[in-house]
Amino acid sequence: QVQLVESGGGLVQAGGSLRLSCAASGSIFRIKAMGWYRQAPGKQRELTAIITSGEITNYADSVKGRFTISRDNAKNTVYLQMNNLKAEDTAVYYCLVRSVYDSWGQGTQVTVSS
């Protein structure tokens, strides 16, 4: 079983920055990818950014140029640097670790005030 601990969410004004972290521990085998999804009120969970074991990244169009995903393989940790935040970025952000199966974090709230 994989345990994920997320941190870094909070309240920020539009134009500000936040950095999310997600540390994985437990039965981790062959991590294929790590990433972040988000879910805004009344909307479906959507991909925000993902990074593969080969360091290939993919971003939602809405965050390209503002968010940067990175990972520290030695620490089994994935980061999401979010700059120039907008009100529409307000959501619960969930960490994903993809190995033999998908593991999800508990979610961290990001609120951007306009």
Side-chain angles (χ1 to χ4, degrees), residues 59-80:
Y59 295 91
D61 288 342
S62 60
V63 307
K64 285 180 180 177
R66 300 187 297 122
F67 290 12
T68 302
I69 191 169
S70 61
R71 60 189 288 177
D72 184 332
N73 292 327
K75 297 181 179 180
N76 288 321
T77 299
V78 62
Y79 306 95
L80 185 67

Side-chain angles (χ1 to χ4, degrees), residues 15-87:
S17 298
L18 285 174
R19 188 191 193 208
L20 305 183
S21 300
C22 174
S25 62
S27 301
I28 303 171
F29 301 102
R30 299 183 191 176
I31 293 180
K32 299 176 183 178
M34 303 179 78
W36 295 91
Y37 280 65
R38 67 185 183 184
Q39 187 167 18
K43 294 187 177 181
Q44 290 187 330
R45 191 175 298 189
E46 62 178 10
L47 171 69
T48 304
I50 195 164
I51 182 168
T52 70
S53 58
E55 303 290 330
I56 297 172
T57 59
N58 188 32
Y59 295 91
D61 288 342
S62 60
V63 307
K64 285 180 180 177
R66 300 187 297 122
F67 290 12
T68 302
I69 191 169
S70 61
R71 60 189 288 177
D72 184 332
N73 292 327
K75 297 181 179 180
N76 288 321
T77 299
V78 62
Y79 306 95
L80 185 67
Q81 178 66 43
M82 305 185 293
N83 297 330
N84 191 21
L85 283 159
K86 304 176 181 180

Side-chain angles (χ1 to χ4, degrees), residues 1-4 23-29 31 97 99 101 103-104:
Q1 190 172 0
V2 176
Q3 292 80 43
L4 302 178
S25 62
S27 301
I28 303 171
F29 301 102
I31 293 180
V97 171
S99 56
Y101 47 84
S103 298
W104 293 92

